[in-house]
Amino acid sequence: MTLTTRFYCRAQRSPQDLKEALAHAITRCCSAHHLRRLHGRAIAFGLRHNLYVASLLIARYFHFGDPATARLVFDDGRRGGPSKTLLWNSLIRGYLKNGRPRSALHIYREMVAARPLARCEPDRLTFHLVITACTHLSEFELGSRVGGHARAKGLDSDLMVGTALLDMHGKAGEIGSARKVFDGMASRDVVAWNAMIAGYSRVGSFYDAVSLFNVMRLGQGVLPSEATLVSLISGCGRSGSLKDGEPIHADAIKLGFEASLFVLNSLIEMYTNCDCFGVACKLFDRMVFKDAVSWSTMIGGYVQHKRPYDALKLFEWMIMNTQTPPTRSILVNVILACADLGDWEEGKLIEEKYLTSKQRESAWDPSMVTTLAYMYARCGKLDVSLNLLDRVEVRGDTIAWNAVMKAYAELGIVDKVLYLTLVMQRRGINPDLVTIVTLLSAISHTTFLKKVMEAHAQIIKRGFEMERQIANCLVDAYAKSGSITDSSKVRLHGDVVIGEAAARHLFQLEPENAANHKMLADIYISAGRRDDANGVLRLLNANGLDSIPGCSWYEAVKPSNVLQDQPIPEANGSHGMNFHAQPTPLA
């Protein structure tokens, strides 16, 4: 007996039986063609405005990939009178499940902006769906406003709404807000615990993640799920904490998740990041089933551990012996392997075979174009790299330009790095912190003092904060150009970080020269950091350097505010000290 025949048999009773039979048939139908026939029957039997039947039709049309007809059913259902939240939720959920969170948000705005007589108040499911859509789009500010709307209705402690808010705050890095929602929830299931643990792992608060895991398992008796372990293992991988990761691996085995695909993928990534690549290889070899993530993680592991040839061999084996499609992530790792080998011909073959066909146009996203440009640059093909930088996906994208500059900096080809910097300026592409660090790193391989000073001037001109990374690169560049003392000039701009970096270089060059310690103490005093100055002076005394005569490279350039024989008063003017006398900690 076919589904349609059973529908007619059940529909011979009453209107209620008819509605139930139609609803049953809609939820069980297996093709879009059959769904349209049932939709026609609903219209014929006068059920086109029945909100329950309409919501089922909307869900099934989305299931068969027909959002346009789903929207027509929604509009038709609203014409029959006041709508219900059920109908709105069906449409919002459909768009969300079909990968269209922006459309889901448009429906929510339409819902809350409707005329008073036609307005339908959001319920707990509405808020859950809309906050989830905001999370998918990284619309965290809007998600917080929607959360405020839910709070005004007293729904923020609801399990469904609270879990969505937890996930959103965690992915936004707002771990304090996430914990506040978590603590305020009336009840918590394993999904809520997972969201909070994942939030801690994501921001690097691994101790808090493990502590919460122990409370969940031992204190509250909530059994961990696969997702719990994946979050914890991923956190270990990001932090490189093998001593924390191994006990979690043991827990996964005890809980029966040792064969879980998702857990194994996370373990392979963790051991790869924790410099236990041999363990990662063994886990990969033992896997009964491998998905694209498994292959991508393993190929990327070979690249990360400087084994690009093995990465290419594994990719070739995957193509020849499995049905796994070469995903974007896999191809990015393979192209990076070609870059490490300096084999642009192999990289070009992969590009032509897997990226240039019309079926693979979707793979041309900014990260793919950037990786290709980097690969060609590493292989000395600057013209090809520049052509790729002109593609619409990365045009004007500083990240892509930085990647090409980084490639030449790694090869020590300074003139190409300088040339790319000029091209960036001509095209109006503003450099960022990575650009400056890459430029300084390249210059540090040379003795071009003029270029170092030009880069230094650009840092000041563009208002970059003198972060430690820039300071170290700048001092390193000055040192290799034979002018370490020029780094002290930045002190005149009130910057302490560069002075600290310069002092570290001088300590390495002249570990027994007291003048270098005095220079650092002078910098700290100028910045009002007298406690730090005291620490330097104590170190000077402890090492017995105060009485050792000598000259420093620093003394060749004496800034105007360097402390010499004259007493330097405290901030309150109570007393002073002499650097050439016995160094005594400041009061």
Side-chain angles (χ1 to χ4, degrees), residues 22 83 255 579:
L22 183 59
S83 60
L255 292 165
F579 266 123

Side-chain angles (χ1 to χ4, degrees), residues 348-406:
K348 186 173 179 60
L349 285 174
I350 290 167
E351 178 190 353
E352 291 174 346
K353 187 171 183 179
Y354 300 108
L355 293 171
T356 55
S357 64
K358 289 186 178 179
Q359 292 83 1
R360 301 291 303 186
E361 275 298 312
S362 59
W364 285 92
D365 65 358
S367 65
M368 179 62 73
V369 178
T370 299
T371 305
L372 279 168
Y374 171 80
M375 183 270 294
Y376 282 116
R378 277 292 300 268
C379 298
K381 296 288 182 179
L382 180 60
D383 54 340
V384 182
S385 293
L386 290 175
N387 287 336
L388 285 166
L389 292 175
D390 280 332
R391 282 187 65 102
V392 66
E393 293 90 350
V394 295
R395 192 171 298 151
D397 186 348
T398 307
I399 295 174
W401 283 84
N402 288 345
V404 177
M405 288 179 64
K406 179 175 180 287

Side-chain angles (χ1 to χ4, degrees), residues 214-289:
N214 290 330
V215 172
M216 166 191 173
R217 184 180 52 163
L218 305 174
Q220 299 296 319
V222 179
L223 198 63
S225 68
E226 188 179 53
T228 318
L229 296 167
V230 168
S231 293
L232 289 168
I233 294 166
S234 298
C236 292
R238 280 191 290 270
S239 64
S241 178
L242 184 62
K243 66 180 179 64
D244 293 315
E246 288 179 327
I248 304 298
H249 187 179
D251 285 332
I253 295 171
K254 292 174 187 175
L255 292 165
F257 289 110
E258 69 271 19
S260 161
L261 175 64
F262 300 110
V263 170
L264 283 170
N265 284 343
S266 299
L267 285 169
I268 291 171
E269 183 177 26
M270 181 195 77
Y271 283 114
T272 298
N273 292 338
C274 293
D275 291 330
C276 289
F277 192 54
V279 179
C281 292
K282 289 178 182 177
L283 287 172
F284 181 80
D285 291 340
R286 292 174 189 166
M287 292 177 74
V288 176
F289 174 76

